[in-house]
């Protein structure tokens, strides 16, 4: 299987982490979707990442769908599937995906000088409010936010991206609280291996798995 990805894309990182934990056989194809490379457009006319090309030549797009495919095709005890009938964990997964999408969209709009675009302004307000809500849950001594399941993996990647792209929206205390919480994440070691620094070198999959 071949995964088309970018080194700073949180969606790519979530898929790569899932494949890594599932020990799925993979080949990495590093691309810049902003340049609309022909190899990417051929399998995904929207020129978005990630895209997983299966061994049968089928192109899977949208990170949650790709992760679902990997989790069911290569089941593992190191990453528990979020059960569809668990409303609390599904709510966390949905919030994490939305946080990731909004954080990415705000970063992309800013790249094209749209800082004052209504979507950018609303998005940044949403990031601040969602972080505040998460911190309230993390400060609750009975919280079970960081379970070793897919929802937590997605949350971890989303928060890493917020800290990477939007730390200026947060207070020092909020940044410290999130950073401390992520030190207790069950996926701390995995995402340290798949850090933004390591991915910036565009390694092959075997190098990451060593």
């Amino acid at each position: 299987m071949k995964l088309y990805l970018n080194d700073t894309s949180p969606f790519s990182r979530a898929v790569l982490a899932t494949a890594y934990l599932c020990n799925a056989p993979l080949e990495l194809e590093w691309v810049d979707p902003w340049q609309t490379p022909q190899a990417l457009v051929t399998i995904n006319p929207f020129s978005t990442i990630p895209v997983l090309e299966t061994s049968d030549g089928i192109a899977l797009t949208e990170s949650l769908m790709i992760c679902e495919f990997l989790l069911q095709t290569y089941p593992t005890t190191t990453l528990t599937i979020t059960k569809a009938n668990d409303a609390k964990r599904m709510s966390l997964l949905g919030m994490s995906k939305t946080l990731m999408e909004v954080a990415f969209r705000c970063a992309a709009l800013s790249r094209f000088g749209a800082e004052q675009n209504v979507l950018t302004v609303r998005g940044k307000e949403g990031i601040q409010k969602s972080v505040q809500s998460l911190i309230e849950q993390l400060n609750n001594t009975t919280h079970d936010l960081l379970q070793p399941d897919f929802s937590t993996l997605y949350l971890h990647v989303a928060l890493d991206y917020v800290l990477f792209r939007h730390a200026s929206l947060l207070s020092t205390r909020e940044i410290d609280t999130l950073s401390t919480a992520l030190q207790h994440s069950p996926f701390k070691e995995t995402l340290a291996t798949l850090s933004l620094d390591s991915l910036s070198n565009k390694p092959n999959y075997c190098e990451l798995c060593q």
Side-chain angles (χ1 to χ4, degrees):
M1 298 188 299
K2 181 182 290 187
L3 177 64
Y4 292 78
L5 75 167
N6 176 269
D7 56 327
T8 59
S9 162
F11 311 103
S12 294
R13 191 172 179 227
V15 169
L16 182 58
T18 301
Y20 178 88
L21 289 165
C22 290
N23 196 29
L26 209 60
E27 175 187 351
L28 303 183
E29 184 72 27
W30 298 94
V31 294
D32 181 358
W34 298 107
Q35 298 300 318
T36 321
Q38 188 58 47
L40 178 60
V41 175
T42 298
I43 62 170
N44 178 13
F46 297 105
S47 192
T48 57
I49 52 172
V51 179
L52 181 68
E53 186 176 15
T54 70
S55 56
D56 297 325
I58 298 173
L60 304 179
T61 60
E62 213 291 317
S63 59
L64 282 184
M65 301 305 102
I66 298 173
C67 290
E68 181 72 14
F69 171 81
L70 291 170
L71 285 165
Q72 293 199 32
T73 306
Y74 305 97
T76 176
T77 57
T78 59
L79 180 59
T80 305
I81 295 176
T82 300
K83 296 180 179 178
N85 63 353
D86 188 335
K88 187 175 181 180
R89 301 306 294 176
M90 288 297 286
S91 175
L92 178 63
L93 178 56
M95 187 281 298
S96 300
K97 180 66 183 331
T98 303
L99 176 59
M100 189 183 293
E101 288 178 340
V102 172
F104 179 82
R105 184 174 64 211
C106 287
L109 288 170
S110 296
R111 174 174 177 165
F112 293 102
E115 286 284 348
Q116 302 307 314
N117 183 290
V118 64
L119 292 177
T120 306
V121 174
R122 291 182 61 186
K124 289 182 176 181
E125 291 174 351
I127 291 170
Q128 292 171 317
K129 291 177 181 177
S130 64
V131 166
Q132 291 167 4
S133 175
L134 284 167
I135 287 176
E136 287 180 6
Q137 296 179 64
L138 290 168
N139 287 335
N140 187 328
T141 56
T142 62
H143 88 81
D144 59 352
L145 216 58
L146 302 179
Q147 296 179 25
D149 68 359
F150 181 64
S151 297
T152 295
L153 176 64
Y154 225 93
L155 174 65
H156 191 147
V157 175
L159 291 177
D160 266 354
Y161 188 75
V162 168
L163 292 172
F164 171 55
R165 291 294 194 196
H166 301 292
S168 62
L169 298 177
L170 311 178
S171 68
T172 300
R173 184 177 181 180
E174 288 172 332
I175 292 173
D176 289 344
T177 299
L178 293 182
S179 299
T180 299
L182 293 181
Q183 288 298 309
H184 294 90
S185 165
F187 305 108
K188 173 187 172 183
E189 292 185 5
T190 296
L191 292 175
T193 299
L194 307 177
S195 68
L196 292 175
D197 283 342
S198 66
L199 298 184
S200 68
N201 295 320
K202 298 178 175 55
N204 62 50
Y205 192 56
C206 291
E207 290 174 334
L208 292 172
C209 294
Q210 288 178 351

